[in-house]
């Protein structure tokens, strides 16, 4: 229970940092992708391909949740009766939503039916989501600056699977399920590496706040 409580802090901060950086990367990508006809940074409501199909359900869910949150604002709230905007939608996105946008598991073996030779998630990563991690070259040298598109796509799978592992741990912690068999030390390293690839200063702050290693070191052994 104490370890799960420690994870709440770390995973909450990493999820917030990741959500903010994904939003910035996709807003930039969406604006470029929709030019010259009228680029917009509101990628959840006016998305370019292939994001439009990947984000369709999460966009609908986010709009419903954001409107419910807006309807509950008291009269003294600074945004009482204010319309729902893009930032309200982004605030509703979960670890699961973010993981859904990334390539995960293994690369497809048959690419002959794809016009670009890559899947929608691979293309979205290669041209947009990779910029979620501006410090990636210092954290993951392979697939960073100057590397081939193929190596960058491989990095996308590594990042997607890393986020997926953290999402699975977050779900078990949130549902008060046992995590005795989880590799907590490896997942803690995953969390800090993701944060470091986004912002080294944020990663340092999360590392300083985290009590996961200290609690884990006191784990009873029989």
């Amino acid at each position: 229970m104490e370890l799960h409580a420690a994870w709440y802090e770390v995973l909450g901060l990493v999820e917030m940092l990741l959500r903010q950086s994904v939003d910035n990367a996709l807003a930039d990508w969406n604006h470029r992708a929709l030019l010259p006809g009228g680029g917009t940074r509101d990628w959840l409501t006016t998305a370019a391909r292939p994001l439009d199909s990947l984000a369709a359900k999460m966009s609908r869910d986010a709009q419903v949740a954001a409107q419910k949150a807006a309807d509950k604002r008291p009269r003294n709230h600074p945004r009482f009766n204010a319309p729902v905007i893009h930032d309200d939608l982004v605030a509703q996105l979960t670890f699961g939503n973010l993981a859904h946008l990334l390539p995960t598991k293994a690369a497809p073996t048959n690419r002959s039916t794809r016009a670009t030779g890559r899947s929608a998630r691979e293309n979205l990563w290669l041209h947009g989501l990779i910029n979620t991690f501006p410090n990636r070259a210092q954290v993951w040298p392979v697939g960073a600056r100057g590397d081939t598109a193929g190596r960058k796509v491989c990095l996308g799978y590594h990042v997607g699977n890393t986020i997926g592992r953290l999402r699975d741990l977050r779900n078990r912690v949130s549902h008060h399920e046992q995590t005795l068999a989880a590799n907590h030390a490896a997942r803690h390293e995953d969390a800090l590496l993701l944060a470091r690839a986004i912002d080294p200063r944020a990663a340092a702050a999360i590392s300083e706040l985290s009590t996961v290693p200290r609690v884990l070191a006191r784990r009873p052994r029989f």
Side-chain angles (χ1 to χ4, degrees):
M1 290 175 66
E2 188 178 356
L3 184 59
H4 283 195
W7 267 121
Y8 266 111
E9 294 180 325
V10 174
L11 292 172
L13 290 169
V14 171
E15 182 175 350
M16 179 178 64
L17 182 66
L18 180 64
R19 183 169 56 236
Q20 175 79 10
S21 197
V22 164
D23 179 41
N24 288 335
L26 287 183
D28 289 343
W29 172 84
N30 201 63
H31 184 263
R32 293 194 308 270
L34 290 176
L35 288 175
T40 173
R41 296 177 61 81
D42 293 346
W43 58 273
L44 275 165
T45 52
T46 311
R49 296 181 61 188
L51 182 57
D52 54 349
S53 59
L54 292 176
K57 184 179 185 304
M58 76 173 67
S59 176
R60 293 193 298 270
D61 292 345
Q63 290 183 60
V64 171
Q67 188 59 60
K68 287 182 179 178
D71 292 342
K72 293 179 181 178
R73 291 172 186 153
R75 289 187 174 275
N76 61 353
H77 193 284
R79 295 188 60 227
F80 177 71
N81 274 345
V84 169
I85 60 174
H86 176 75
D87 288 347
D88 296 314
L89 304 184
V90 173
Q92 300 298 327
L93 299 182
T94 66
F95 237 136
N97 294 142
L98 302 175
H100 173 73
L101 297 173
L102 288 148
T104 55
K105 297 184 180 176
T109 55
N110 181 11
R111 297 179 176 273
S112 60
T113 60
R114 295 174 168 86
T116 64
R118 293 186 289 268
S119 70
R121 286 181 176 83
E122 289 172 342
N123 278 319
L124 186 61
W125 162 261
L126 190 61
H127 301 292
L129 278 172
I130 194 171
N131 295 319
T132 299
F133 306 96
N135 198 50
R136 60 187 178 274
Q138 283 66 49
V139 177
W140 305 298
V142 176
R145 295 177 305 210
D147 279 329
T148 64
R151 297 182 79 178
K152 289 181 180 178
V153 168
C154 288
L155 175 62
Y157 279 95
H158 174 71
V159 173
N161 289 326
T162 297
I163 293 173
R165 290 192 295 269
L166 289 174
R167 174 204 58 203
D168 292 343
L169 177 61
R170 193 282 314 270
N171 288 347
R172 301 200 74 176
V173 168
S174 298
H175 297 154
H176 307 290
E177 298 175 7
Q178 66 86 5
T179 58
L180 298 176
N183 190 336
H184 292 279
R187 298 295 76 78
H188 191 260
E189 183 66 11
D190 282 344
L192 292 182
L193 286 177
L194 281 177
R196 197 173 302 144
I198 296 172
D199 186 335
R201 295 169 302 175
I206 294 171
S207 179
E208 185 176 352
L209 288 168
S210 175
T211 59
V212 170
R214 185 164 69 250
V215 175
L216 191 61
R218 295 192 287 104
R219 178 177 178 175
R221 302 289 177 178
F222 300 100

